[in-house]
Amino acid sequence: MRLLKSELMVFLMAATPLLELRASLPYGIFVLDMGYFHAFILSVLGSILPAPFILWFLPSVLSYLKKKRGFSTIAHWITRRTIKKSKKLETYKLWGLFLLVAIPLPGTGVWTGSAVAALLRIPFKDALLTCFAGTIVAGMIILLLSYHATLMV
């Protein structure tokens, strides 16, 4: 039972915006004492979980909110901010999206990449596969950093 609770914790942490696998992978390895591969798989799967929902629903949700008093300002702000931050990505399309998801820094990741892809109207299949590939690479980077950290101790 404890193992399932730990696995669920890592999976859900990876699916959480801002935390994603940047937090869940080291948490699984160092705090919950999971194996590297086990924590990696749970983190990648949890991290990619929100992507299809963001890709499918974000444009509709923002469009709906733009018509509602009290929510219009925030919906317009989110759209403008995302489009403004994605200018370079428009030039490089899928490669830019891949790098946005694959580089594990604050403000990057699946949530940001999926939102940008949805607002730039990148086709669903292309965006999802690119986000998945970027998530795997981000996970490998965090995995290598975590492994290196254990060697330093």
Side-chain angles (χ1 to χ4, degrees):
M1 183 66 162
R2 175 157 161 46
L3 180 62
L4 286 176
K5 188 177 179 183
S6 297
E7 289 174 333
L8 185 60
M9 180 67 163
V10 170
F11 183 84
L12 292 176
M13 184 182 283
T16 305
L18 301 176
L19 297 177
E20 297 186 29
L21 58 71
R22 292 181 295 270
S24 68
L25 191 49
Y27 184 79
I29 293 168
F30 297 121
V31 177
L32 299 177
D33 202 28
M34 286 183 178
Y36 287 92
F37 186 71
H38 191 187
F40 175 80
I41 294 298
L42 289 170
S43 293
V44 167
L45 292 176
S47 186
I48 200 65
L49 176 72
F53 300 102
I54 295 167
L55 291 167
W56 276 325
F57 298 119
L58 182 65
S60 300
V61 168
L62 286 174
S63 179
Y64 173 79
L65 291 175
K66 286 176 184 177
K67 299 172 190 168
K68 296 296 174 187
R69 188 160 43 180
F71 293 101
S72 176
T73 304
I74 189 85
H76 281 288
W77 178 82
I78 289 169
T79 303
R80 277 193 313 273
R81 184 174 185 269
T82 304
I83 296 297
K84 180 181 173 189
K85 289 192 165 265
S86 64
K87 289 295 182 195
K88 287 184 182 175
L89 192 126
E90 281 184 281
T91 306
Y92 301 107
K93 294 286 183 196
L94 294 179
W95 281 110
L97 178 60
F98 172 78
L99 290 173
L100 180 64
V101 176
I103 299 172
L105 295 171
T108 66
V110 174
W111 281 82
T112 303
S114 297
V116 167
L119 293 174
L120 292 179
R121 302 194 190 300
I122 294 175
F124 177 83
K125 182 180 174 185
D126 294 342
L128 186 61
L129 290 173
T130 303
C131 285
F132 187 65
T135 300
I136 290 171
V137 170
M140 290 171 33
I141 292 169
I142 297 297
L143 193 64
L144 287 170
L145 292 172
S146 298
Y147 180 74
H148 184 68
T150 59
L151 295 177
M152 300 292 288
V153 176

